[in-house]
Amino acid sequence: MIFYFSGTGNSRYTAEKIGGAINEKVIDMARSRIDEQFTFEVKDQEKIGFVFPVYYYGPPTIVEEFMSKLKIYGNEHPYVYVIMTCGSNSGGADKYADKILLDQGLETEAFFTIPMVDNFIMGYDLSDEEDRKSINKRAEERIDKIIKSIIVRGASDRKSSHFDQLLTGTVYPIYLRGRKTKKFFADDRCISCNLCEEICPAQAIKMVDGRPVWVLDQCVHCVACINRCPAESIQYGDATKKRRRYVHPSIVE
């Protein structure tokens, strides 16, 4: 069983590829949260995986909430692994996730990171097409290596340093306090397709008179709404107006 969270497709693709390779069910944490489904049966010999992106060197708030409410029964000692997709560095996100899962009675045996194309358009411009192809090629090789390790119930090949954990302790609270929605808006290119409302994992967007309105003060800042808007209409203040968008090639709207 593989639980995943994804905004623009990196972690979803990773989870689905691994799930297909090891014949494990893949479950969307955001959908389960909306459905208030946090209890799952894990059969004998079944593995438990968590795949999610790293935000500010920690897990997205939806992942943190899902893990904190998760109840597993049926297999007292499952092989548990965590895969973190990131732009370059996952910081101390492994230790942060490890503590949450331990509180739920799950001991994680392996942590892995996969550098993938960064999507944080609110902070900086995204990579060009040539760089994306190179990054995705290396990510494919990395996923294949991780699959082999999971099959044999391998140990971690990623362990955060004291500095990594200090980085998370310093930067991650900024994300938790922030995540404001007031700068989001749709410009005149909006085609009223409703996609942003449909894909928002926090249910923070509602269509009003054919335009998206952010109805919550905070969201996850997964930037799915910006990157996946077919008209490139959604912006975050002035910062994103001239920046490239990114969606994993596996995502077809």
Side-chain angles (χ1 to χ4, degrees):
M1 186 174 295
I2 303 173
F3 300 102
Y4 79 90
F5 172 75
S6 187
T8 56
N10 285 340
S11 293
R12 187 177 100 177
Y13 173 77
T14 300
E16 289 178 345
K17 181 171 182 179
I18 294 172
I22 65 175
N23 195 29
E24 293 273 8
K25 185 177 181 180
V26 176
I27 297 170
D28 182 354
M29 287 189 243
R31 184 72 257 169
S32 291
R33 173 180 173 270
I34 291 170
D35 295 339
E36 297 185 350
Q37 175 62 42
F38 300 104
T39 302
F40 298 88
E41 179 183 10
V42 178
K43 299 177 182 178
D44 289 343
Q45 303 303 314
E46 189 174 8
K47 305 172 182 67
I48 301 177
F50 298 90
V51 184
F52 57 85
V54 172
Y55 295 169
Y56 289 73
Y57 308 111
T61 50
I62 280 180
V63 174
E64 181 180 25
E65 179 185 345
F66 180 86
M67 286 180 168
S68 298
K69 294 181 178 180
L70 181 64
K71 303 296 180 185
I72 295 293
Y73 69 96
N75 184 345
E76 293 184 1
H77 302 289
Y79 171 76
V80 180
Y81 61 93
V82 170
I83 298 173
M84 300 163 289
T85 62
C86 58
S88 58
N89 183 2
S90 60
D94 56 342
K95 291 294 184 182
Y96 198 97
D98 189 33
K99 183 180 184 305
I100 298 172
L101 293 174
L102 279 173
D103 288 343
Q104 302 308 109
L106 294 174
E107 184 174 353
T108 307
E109 297 185 45
F111 293 92
F112 306 98
T113 57
I114 306 175
M116 301 185 82
V117 178
D118 203 335
N119 71 356
F120 191 57
I121 189 173
M122 295 183 293
Y124 34 77
D125 198 8
L126 306 186
S127 56
D128 61 28
E129 192 62 33
E130 185 175 346
D131 284 341
R132 293 175 186 187
K133 289 179 180 178
S134 177
I135 294 168
N136 281 332
K137 182 177 183 295
R138 291 194 297 271
E140 288 287 347
E141 295 169 354
R142 177 76 175 135
I143 294 170
D144 289 340
K145 181 179 178 180
I146 290 172
I147 288 171
K148 292 177 182 178
S149 184
I150 292 171
I151 289 172
V152 298
R153 297 173 176 251
S156 298
D157 66 358
R158 158 68 178 163
K159 185 176 181 180
S160 59
S161 66
H162 177 71
F163 175 77
D164 290 328
Q165 294 167 44
L166 182 63
L167 196 61
T168 296
T170 303
V171 178
Y172 187 58
I174 297 172
Y175 165 69
L176 295 177
R177 292 193 303 268
R179 304 178 289 113
K180 303 298 185 181
T181 62
K182 62 182 179 181
K183 288 187 179 181
F184 286 106
F185 71 95
D187 64 27
D188 291 339
R189 290 174 292 177
C190 177
I191 58 175
S192 304
C193 67
N194 288 20
L195 180 63
C196 53
E197 179 182 20
E198 293 170 5
I199 65 175
C200 178
Q203 297 183 294
I205 302 173
K206 299 296 180 186
M207 297 298 290
V208 178
D209 296 328
R211 288 292 185 91
V213 174
W214 280 257
V215 296
L216 300 180
D217 292 334
Q218 289 183 312
C219 64
V220 192
H221 272 203
C222 69
V223 294
C225 58
I226 300 179
N227 282 297
R228 293 171 65 176
C229 174
E232 297 190 3
S233 164
I234 295 178
Q235 310 294 340
Y236 190 75
D238 293 330
T240 58
K241 289 182 178 179
K242 295 183 179 181
R243 290 176 178 170
R244 291 177 285 249
R245 271 60 174 160
Y246 174 74
V247 179
H248 191 275
S250 65
I251 297 292
V252 178
E253 308 293 6

